[in-house]
Amino acid sequence: MASVSFEPGVAERYPKRVAGGAIYHGPHEEISHIKLRIATGGAGESGLVRALSDAFIAEMENKRYCEPFNVAWIKSDTAASFNHLAENAADLSITYHIMAENIALRQGIADRSEYAWRDHFMLVGPRSNPAKLTTGGQAVGLTVYDLFSQLFCAAVGSSNSRHQVRFLSRYDKSATNIKESCIWSAIGQTPWSHPYSSWYHRDVLFPFDALRAAAKLQEYTLVDRGTWYAVEEWVREEMTIFMEGGDDEGDLLLNPAHALVCSYGENKGMANLFVDWLIKADGGQEVIRSFAVNDNILYSVAPDKDDIKAQADTGRG
């Protein structure tokens, strides 16, 4: 869902240039010819966008006899990624909010959306666990709502303590910020509202920096699996996982990624070719299936469409 004013005709003629991120060139030397611009956040920081870009460039050059080209990663969060589509700053965006993605399609800033992969949210915090959150909660039937409720009570109860229990929010309209806000709201709490809750630490940071800050400050936070396993080891040594999402489409901590193609992107043809390749089992999905950092597989491949339908039918039943 774009939150900026846009005119498709103007945006098509005058693509916006956005700095930040990286340039990937596959097996050849870097050149100035950018033929695809991808906007996303954590998957760029973890290295997945680079792995996908390099493999796609090699595929295009080897099988389609395409001239060498570069792929640009535009570093952004989910909210900004929609705006990059609206302003023709990106040819495609990888986003993590299905409702906003459907609105983007209705707005006309994207005309194609495909399930790209599955990331997963985690509730993490200090190994000392000052909030005394239940460990192994899923095994005893607890949900993330239960753990957030425990965290809230501990934070409020320690408000006058020298060692207050705190939660770090990225507070940046990212998919992670939206998810934790939904969880807080679901248990009847909005700690960002007046009167402000001192234990609710708002810090507008990208995923890696946010997790580093939580580790240094010994605060709880919500993070995605890709970031958790790709960040430096010292961070994980300071923190522990209290709950992690699974692959079930109904899991509250599932973080599904979708690829949206800009309706009037500067490189729309290449964007569609990339998405065609991305969703192929022996194309992008194979890269995702084997993508690992520190010997940990970071993401799950996109589910089969029949599997999604079957789960939806089961839920209705």
Side-chain angles (χ1 to χ4, degrees):
M1 172 184 171
S3 59
V4 295
S5 299
F6 64 94
E7 297 180 36
V10 174
E12 185 173 6
R13 291 194 301 272
Y14 304 105
K16 186 174 181 179
R17 305 303 176 198
V18 179
I23 305 295
Y24 307 124
H25 49 82
H28 59 74
E29 295 297 322
E30 183 174 345
I31 57 176
S32 60
H33 198 40
I34 294 174
K35 291 295 291 180
L36 182 62
R37 302 165 299 162
I38 302 174
T40 195
E45 288 197 314
S46 72
L48 178 61
V49 173
R50 177 171 191 158
L52 289 168
S53 298
D54 287 347
F56 175 66
I57 292 169
E59 171 89 1
M60 292 295 291
E61 293 179 5
N62 294 335
K63 295 187 177 180
R64 292 181 178 268
Y65 306 104
C66 180
E67 293 184 359
F69 65 94
N70 292 338
V71 173
W73 164 45
I74 300 170
K75 186 176 182 179
S76 63
D77 56 44
T78 285
S81 294
F82 289 119
N83 291 340
H84 290 327
L85 291 178
E87 297 172 328
N88 194 4
D91 302 304
L92 71 89
S93 290
I94 308 293
T95 57
Y96 298 85
H97 196 289
I98 189 65
M99 181 66 72
E101 290 154 3
N102 289 336
I103 293 173
L105 292 169
R106 293 196 291 273
Q107 285 180 318
I109 64 172
D111 59 9
R112 182 182 182 185
S113 176
E114 299 285 355
Y115 208 134
W117 61 78
R118 287 174 285 194
D119 199 351
H120 311 82
F121 289 115
M122 297 172 161
L123 174 59
V124 301
R127 287 187 178 274
S128 60
N129 192 16
K132 294 181 171 53
L133 300 187
T134 301
T135 56
Q138 286 160 309
V140 295
L142 297 184
T143 69
V144 70
Y145 297 136
D146 295 311
L147 293 193
F148 266 63
S149 297
Q150 293 176 10
L151 179 56
F152 172 77
C153 291
V156 172
S158 67
S159 58
N160 295 321
S161 169
R162 288 179 55 199
H163 304 289
Q164 186 177 22
V165 172
R166 303 191 77 198
F167 179 89
L168 187 147
S169 169
R170 286 173 54 192
Y171 209 68
D172 59 355
K173 300 181 182 178
S174 62
T176 304
N177 176 217
I178 293 169
K179 173 60 69 173
E180 55 102 343
S181 299
C182 288
I183 296 172
W184 286 122
S185 298
I187 65 169
Q189 303 300 329
T190 55
W192 52 87
S193 302
H194 180 79
Y196 173 67
S197 301
S198 61
W199 56 266
Y200 188 72
H201 177 195
R202 296 177 292 185
D203 205 344
V204 182
L205 297 168
F206 274 98
F208 277 40
D209 286 336
L211 188 54
R212 292 180 189 118
K216 289 178 179 177
L217 297 171
Q218 293 291 283
E219 297 178 347
Y220 294 85
T221 193
L222 196 70
V223 68
D224 64 277
R225 176 184 171 88
T227 297
W228 174 260
Y229 284 112
V231 78
E232 298 89 352
E233 186 175 356
W234 72 263
V235 175
R236 292 188 300 278
E237 290 175 347
E238 292 287 330
M239 309 280 277
T240 192
I241 302 167
F242 292 97
M243 188 163 285
E244 178 178 1
D247 281 344
D248 190 291
E249 288 299 307
D251 194 310
L252 292 170
L253 295 180
L254 178 66
N255 189 25
H258 289 81
L260 274 68
V261 176
C262 181
S263 301
Y264 39 83
E266 186 176 20
N267 305 292
K268 182 176 174 62
M270 188 65 80
N272 273 309
L273 287 173
F274 176 82
V275 175
D276 291 342
W277 171 83
L278 175 66
I279 62 178
K280 287 177 58 179
D282 60 349
Q285 295 299 297
E286 182 57 36
V287 176
I288 294 162
R289 183 180 293 107
S290 59
F291 182 72
V293 177
N294 300 319
D295 296 323
N296 291 289
I297 298 295
L298 268 57
Y299 307 97
S300 301
V301 297
D304 185 273
K305 291 181 179 180
D306 291 337
D307 291 341
I308 297 177
K309 183 177 184 302
Q311 289 189 26
D313 291 343
T314 300
R316 285 194 293 269

